[in-house]
Amino acid sequence: MISNTIDQEIKQAMLAKNQVKLRGLRAIKAALLLAKTEKGTTEEVTEETELRILQRLLKQRRESADIYKQQNREDLSLIEEEEIEVIGSFMPQQLNRAEVTSIVADLIRTSGASSVKEMGKVMGLVNKELAGKADGKLIAEIVKEQLA
């Protein structure tokens, strides 16, 4: 579980006085704690849920970094990029476009989907299969291409 690793990493970052890593780790820990204590949550947070949380954090940071760059705020953009690096270190190895295309093609074949109208069904299957291993935009793009 990622949450166990985060606690150990926070201690190490504090001892090493690594403020950059510490900031990123604390952001992850806060998001995981929030997920555990959300209203209506009764079960433990699974590793799949943790990966989705990390993906969301990465997406937020990338969007913020882009906005800061557009506004010529390199200082703030740098902070976001540092956090992206820390958060990304807890993600599994990302698949390249060819690997994602191959997996999507197999899942489309097994599901029997044949038109863009069935994109939601295919996206559900693909997202379950590739949880944390590929970017959602890339997956959606490839699914749309395959079904068109």
Side-chain angles (χ1 to χ4, degrees):
M1 296 280 289
I2 295 170
S3 54
N4 298 335
T5 309
I6 295 295
D7 291 334
Q8 295 167 357
E9 293 279 331
I10 286 176
K11 289 176 190 172
Q12 290 174 357
M14 289 173 106
L15 290 172
K17 296 184 184 337
N18 186 342
Q19 295 301 314
V20 171
K21 189 171 184 180
L22 189 58
R23 188 176 52 242
L25 292 169
R26 284 182 173 159
I28 296 170
K29 183 169 180 144
L32 293 175
L33 284 173
L34 188 64
K36 286 181 185 177
T37 58
E38 276 182 346
K39 192 172 185 177
T41 305
T42 55
E43 73 256 2
E44 272 295 307
V45 176
T46 63
E47 194 162 348
E48 183 179 319
T49 305
E50 288 178 338
L51 287 174
R52 272 190 265 128
I53 291 168
L54 291 179
Q55 281 181 313
R56 187 178 67 231
L57 291 174
L58 283 172
K59 182 180 178 185
Q60 289 170 346
R61 301 248 169 351
R62 285 185 185 120
E63 289 171 353
S64 296
D66 288 343
I67 291 169
Y68 291 142
K69 283 179 183 174
Q70 290 171 3
Q71 297 176 351
N72 295 324
R73 291 298 310 265
E74 293 299 322
D75 55 330
L76 296 175
S77 175
L78 180 64
I79 291 171
E80 296 297 329
E81 289 171 2
E82 291 169 347
E83 289 185 19
I84 288 169
E85 193 173 314
V86 172
I87 295 167
S89 69
F90 291 95
M91 295 293 290
Q93 181 65 36
Q94 297 292 297
L95 300 174
N96 64 33
R97 186 178 183 88
E99 293 168 325
V100 174
T101 302
S102 171
I103 292 169
V104 168
D106 289 343
L107 289 173
I108 288 174
R109 199 173 313 108
T110 58
S111 71
S114 59
S115 70
V116 179
K117 291 179 182 177
E118 297 172 289
M119 185 171 172
K121 175 178 143 184
V122 174
M123 285 296 294
L125 293 170
V126 174
N127 283 331
K128 193 172 190 178
E129 179 79 21
L130 298 178
K133 297 178 186 172
D135 182 49
K137 281 184 181 179
L138 176 66
I139 292 172
E141 182 182 313
I142 292 172
V143 168
K144 195 177 266 186
E145 286 173 6
Q146 297 275 328
L147 290 175

